[in-house]
Amino acid sequence: MITHYSDVQLHTLSIQGVKQIYKERLHFPIIYESSTFIRFQISSYATLSFKEAYTPVSPAHVAFQVPYSLFYESASFLSKSHLLLLQQENGEYIDDENGRRNLYFRDGDGHLLEIIAHERVDETVLKPLGDLRIMYIREVGFPVASVPVFREWLKSKLSMKTERDQDVFNFVISGTAHAVVVSKTRPWIPIALKALPPRVVVTFGTPDLSFIKELGKKVENAKWDSHLLCFSKEEYAFQVQFTPDLHKDVPAQLNLPF
């Protein structure tokens, strides 16, 4: 099974601009950098990467899980970073209800970012990293023409699951990885941002080599590149990586649904 998002690669119009946001303001360590590419370590088992492009950037949505007990510390750090924080629909910046807390913000390319925390998630399993206290990448947004078609592809090919199926918006889940499959006609909250398909490369991690081998037989046009299984669906590029350091039992220890 897929246990987590190992890396999410977004596009940017400026590597220097990315460094100002993610290194200087968010204090993410740089683990690789070239003139057109940069990668940050954002949690113990996840990285965030940016590739410089000469085409317009469609904003992506990425949510970072932080500990529930430390959420307000993370939010305070964000407020001091001078990044653009976004108001919720009720006028507040933080939504705190029913055991869930979240706060949205944006980077220099307009990517819609979020810190989110859930009271039910066991905070002792994964050590939070950095000033933002990130445990793992929880969500990546996938605006699509047909939510049912894309959702069922994730379920049938990648063995992901849903708690309930909806036609306009669905969480499709495996381990800590939540794919937010949304119709292109439904704007992202909280600012009604148009949900356009971003140019993104999503790398999933799994400690199960047999899962990767079987997946290679199930998806069309799969190929191996630098020990990664690579394939695509609609506008999206996917990779699956063998990550033995994160045990398959971690999602259950975190008290997650799947």
Side-chain angles (χ1 to χ4, degrees), residues 174-234:
S174 184
T176 61
H178 290 59
V180 186
V181 183
V182 61
S183 170
K184 295 177 184 178
T185 63
R186 181 190 185 277
W188 292 118
I189 59 174
I191 56 170
L193 180 71
K194 300 300 181 289
L196 303 175
R199 297 176 66 187
V200 60
V201 181
V202 173
T203 303
F204 293 111
T206 177
D208 187 351
L209 269 176
S210 63
F211 172 84
I212 301 178
K213 293 177 181 178
E214 288 302 313
L215 180 60
K217 301 174 185 177
K218 293 164 63 176
V219 294
E220 296 181 359
N221 301 317
K223 63 179 182 180
W224 288 93
D225 184 13
S226 300
H227 307 291
L228 296 171
L229 180 68
C230 306
F231 51 96
S232 62
K233 176 64 174 176
E234 298 185 18

Side-chain angles (χ1 to χ4, degrees), residues 3-258:
T3 53
H4 65 297
Y5 289 115
S6 177
D7 180 72
V8 177
Q9 179 187 302
L10 306 177
H11 275 197
T12 179
L13 295 176
S14 170
I15 292 295
Q16 291 302 315
V18 164
K19 288 178 66 174
Q20 288 187 25
I21 297 294
Y22 291 90
K23 179 188 177 184
E24 297 177 17
R25 298 193 183 189
L26 295 179
H27 304 165
F28 291 167
I30 298 172
I31 59 173
Y32 178 80
E33 180 182 3
S34 71
S35 60
T36 58
F37 183 87
I38 192 166
R39 174 166 288 160
F40 300 93
Q41 191 76 47
I42 64 167
S43 76
S44 299
Y45 298 98
T47 56
L48 185 66
S49 305
F50 293 86
K51 184 176 181 180
E52 199 167 70
Y54 290 86
T55 56
V57 175
S58 296
H61 168 58
V62 181
F64 309 115
Q65 184 82 26
V66 302
Y68 191 80
S69 66
L70 299 177
F71 178 86
Y72 282 95
E73 290 184 25
S74 299
S76 176
F77 171 72
L78 273 180
S79 69
K80 296 173 183 177
S81 71
H82 302 294
L83 294 179
L84 177 61
L85 306 185
L86 304 177
Q87 288 181 321
Q88 305 278 347
E89 294 173 309
N90 61 5
E92 300 292 332
Y93 287 95
I94 293 174
D95 187 24
D96 187 345
E97 60 180 23
N98 300 324
R100 191 261 297 139
R101 296 167 174 165
N102 72 329
L103 170 64
Y104 291 93
F105 61 106
R106 299 185 77 180
D107 70 3
D109 289 293
H111 294 303
L112 181 63
L113 308 173
E114 178 186 4
I115 55 170
I116 190 166
H118 299 83
E119 189 173 19
R120 70 173 185 272
V121 173
D122 190 333
E123 301 177 5
T124 66
V125 178
L126 294 176
K127 182 180 179 180
L129 192 67
D131 293 309
L132 209 50
R133 307 288 200 271
I134 297 175
M135 298 170 67
Y136 53 86
I137 297 175
R138 181 180 192 267
E139 299 173 13
V140 177
F142 297 93
V144 293
S146 171
V147 169
V149 169
F150 198 85
R151 176 191 70 221
E152 294 306 313
W153 179 82
L154 290 172
K155 291 168 70 172
S156 65
K157 304 299 185 183
L158 277 66
S159 301
M160 300 181 77
K161 299 178 181 179
T162 54
E163 292 186 287
R164 62 190 179 109
D165 292 341
Q166 303 177 94
D167 291 343
V168 178
F169 180 96
N170 248 159
F171 285 113
V172 192
I173 306 166
S174 184
T176 61
H178 290 59
V180 186
V181 183
V182 61
S183 170
K184 295 177 184 178
T185 63
R186 181 190 185 277
W188 292 118
I189 59 174
I191 56 170
L193 180 71
K194 300 300 181 289
L196 303 175
R199 297 176 66 187
V200 60
V201 181
V202 173
T203 303
F204 293 111
T206 177
D208 187 351
L209 269 176
S210 63
F211 172 84
I212 301 178
K213 293 177 181 178
E214 288 302 313
L215 180 60
K217 301 174 185 177
K218 293 164 63 176
V219 294
E220 296 181 359
N221 301 317
K223 63 179 182 180
W224 288 93
D225 184 13
S226 300
H227 307 291
L228 296 171
L229 180 68
C230 306
F231 51 96
S232 62
K233 176 64 174 176
E234 298 185 18
E235 297 98 333
Y236 299 105
F238 292 98
Q239 300 179 146
V240 179
Q241 180 180 25
F242 177 55
T243 52
D245 292 339
L246 187 65
H247 196 270
K248 64 179 181 179
D249 292 336
V250 165
Q253 293 169 12
L254 287 165
N255 196 32
L256 298 179
F258 301 120

